[in-house]
Amino acid sequence: MGESILELSYLISALLFVFGLKLLSHPETARRGNFYAGSGMVLAMFTTLLLHRDASGNGIALTNVWIILSALTIGSVIGWVVARRVKMTAMPQLVSFFNATGGAASALVALLEFPNADMGNYESVLVTILGLIIGSIAFSGSMIAYGKLDGKVKDITSGMMTYVNLFLLVTVVALSVYIMISGQTPEQLNWAIYLLLGISLFYGVMFVMPIGGADMPVVISLLNSFTGIAAAMAGFIYSNQAMILGGILVGAAGTILTLLMCKAMNRSLMNVIIGAFGANGAAAAN
Amino acid sequence: MEQILAYFFTYKEAIFIIALSIFVGIEVISHVPSVLHTPLMSGANAISGVIIIGGIILVGHADTSTLSLELILGFFAVIFATLNVVGGFVVTDRMLEMFKKKKK
């Protein structure tokens, strides 16, 4: 009974996400769309809290409910106050900051679920690792984007950076493959997973560092679609349809939005990411 | 070939959801006017806070008898995800509020 209600509420949430996103793309209905998407989220949160059961059929214990509720309260109060108080001109960096927190949450969930991963099942390990990698890149990248828009981080460009980034990317892939095929237990692979976390975080920094300040909105949109994909990967860990659909939806919409934003600036995405060479590219765009 | 087909069959539901969500995600926003780019990005960002469900499940089934790493980091994961959700939707609302005033 509870299980069915939970799944039904996930379906309603997913529909509210799609419908909300649809309304958000028209000027007259945008605010309503935002409200719908928000309602979908609140619904999914509370039905999960009340009705979720683990594999052995145990619900969420009362102590855990209180812990979760206090975390929800802390997050809501800070989020609400910051979002209400910030100056209008500082909004883009705030979006980037909130995207960073979403990425951090995805990375943390993947990191903490890794010990429970079924090492014999490649897909189970793969979605956990991907959630960790993509979530950490989204987190550190968004923090740098936030710092740049806020004037705290300067552009650093160097011809070497492309090679360093390529090297980091290869290392991430190699380490992931090693974790998947080594046949060791999650405890034995603890070092590898933390190393993977560290390299992914560093890659996020290096990825955004050389991109010019004027291109930041495009980069934030791209990192936003990363956060969506990371959330979807976590959705696969829990076989949670609302997370999978919401995450992939944001991943796809975010990617298209990124391309549309590039088009509005008369640039290609490749041009923004590698061809820009930081300040020069940004100046050319202006 | 047979392996690929078997793989598809095992994960058919997930593959269906992914394929359709990608299509819906693209279709739903493909005609957005450029003035709405930033609010839409912010709204989509708030939706990516669905990871909060994962955080709730994680902390919900964590062992509370000891102060484990799982409990502490999970607690922070829920806080971070809530920031993403609440902050995201409130900021989007503020942007759209401003948008409405400008139009009048």
Side-chain angles (χ1 to χ4, degrees):
Chain A
M1 175 75 179
E3 205 94 296
S4 318
I5 296 175
L6 184 60
E7 292 301 328
L8 191 65
S9 81
Y10 284 158
L11 176 67
I12 297 170
S13 299
L15 290 175
L16 282 169
F17 292 159
V18 174
F19 202 49
L21 213 53
K22 174 82 194 160
L23 294 182
L24 259 171
S25 57
H26 294 285
E28 314 84 58
T29 53
R31 234 180 140 185
R32 199 146 41 95
N34 187 46
F35 178 74
Y36 285 165
S39 316
M41 192 69 76
V42 172
L43 176 70
M45 276 159 62
F46 284 99
T47 48
T48 306
L49 191 58
L50 292 172
L51 298 170
H52 189 270
R53 286 177 192 285
D54 63 9
S56 41
N58 298 316
I60 297 177
L62 203 60
T63 328
N64 299 57
V65 171
W66 283 114
I67 296 172
I68 294 166
L69 281 178
S70 49
L72 290 178
T73 314
I74 296 172
S76 306
V77 170
I78 300 176
W80 183 281
V81 169
V82 172
R84 277 277 147 206
R85 292 248 170 108
V86 75
K87 277 180 285 178
M88 282 295 181
T89 47
M91 287 221 164
Q93 50 264 54
L94 195 63
V95 174
S96 187
F97 173 75
F98 287 138
N99 190 44
T101 61
S106 299
L108 280 176
V109 168
L111 183 72
L112 296 172
E113 281 298 338
F114 181 69
N116 306 329
D118 173 11
M119 296 309 284
N121 183 346
Y122 286 147
E123 289 77 23
S124 155
V125 184
L126 183 66
V127 290
T128 314
I129 296 177
L130 281 178
L132 181 76
I133 297 172
I134 302 171
S136 1
I137 293 176
F139 166 67
S140 59
S142 301
M143 282 315 272
I144 297 296
Y146 161 76
K148 281 200 178 192
L149 284 172
D150 221 36
K152 286 176 187 138
V153 179
K154 297 248 155 36
D155 297 350
I156 297 177
T157 40
S158 141
M160 287 297 284
M161 237 153 173
T162 319
Y163 301 105
V164 174
N165 284 357
L166 204 63
F167 173 74
L168 289 174
L169 212 53
V170 170
T171 318
V172 165
V173 174
L175 203 55
S176 308
V177 171
Y178 175 75
I179 292 173
M180 283 176 69
I181 63 168
S182 73
Q184 289 171 307
T185 62
E187 290 79 45
Q188 287 170 313
L189 287 166
N190 229 347
W191 64 272
I193 207 80
Y194 279 97
L195 186 62
L196 191 62
L197 172 70
I199 298 175
S200 306
L201 287 172
F202 187 56
Y203 178 74
V205 173
M206 294 293 285
F207 169 65
V208 179
M209 221 35 154
I211 302 172
D215 289 333
M216 271 313 122
V218 177
V219 176
I220 295 171
S221 178
L222 185 68
L223 291 169
N224 176 29
S225 67
F226 281 15
T227 317
I229 295 166
M233 291 304 141
F236 285 119
I237 301 178
Y238 298 113
S239 319
N240 186 304
Q241 317 287 19
M243 286 170 78
I244 298 174
L245 190 132
I248 300 282
L249 189 69
V250 172
T255 308
I256 292 302
L257 189 59
T258 310
L259 295 174
L260 287 175
M261 286 166 97
C262 286
K263 211 170 150 194
M265 287 165 60
N266 248 330
R267 309 265 304 271
S268 76
L269 184 58
M270 268 311 176
N271 189 270
V272 169
I273 293 173
I274 37 174
F277 286 112
N280 298 335
N286 292 338
Chain B
M1 186 63 196
E2 211 158 295
Q3 258 182 324
I4 298 173
L5 283 177
Y7 186 87
F8 171 75
F9 190 75
T10 317
Y11 294 98
K12 57 182 184 305
E13 284 171 8
I15 295 169
F16 264 98
I17 293 184
I18 294 177
L20 291 176
S21 320
I22 292 175
F23 178 75
V24 169
I26 294 172
E27 197 53 34
V28 147
I29 67 141
S30 51
H31 299 293
V32 60
S34 57
V35 276
L36 279 179
H37 280 174
T38 315
L40 187 62
M41 173 172 88
S42 181
N45 169 41
I47 295 177
S48 69
V50 276
I51 183 66
I52 195 166
I53 300 175
I56 291 174
I57 296 175
L58 184 81
V59 178
H61 300 292
D63 181 12
T64 49
S65 55
T66 52
L67 205 60
S68 60
L69 191 69
E70 188 181 18
L71 197 60
I72 300 168
L73 289 183
F75 184 73
F76 279 102
V78 176
I79 293 181
F80 288 152
T82 320
L83 269 173
N84 191 183
V85 171
V86 176
F89 284 120
V90 173
V91 160
T92 313
D93 195 58
R94 261 188 82 189
M95 281 180 192
L96 294 168
E97 204 174 28
M98 176 173 70
F99 190 73
K100 211 175 171 186
K101 273 180 204 152
K102 259 188 188 166
K103 236 182 135 187
K104 279 179 183 173

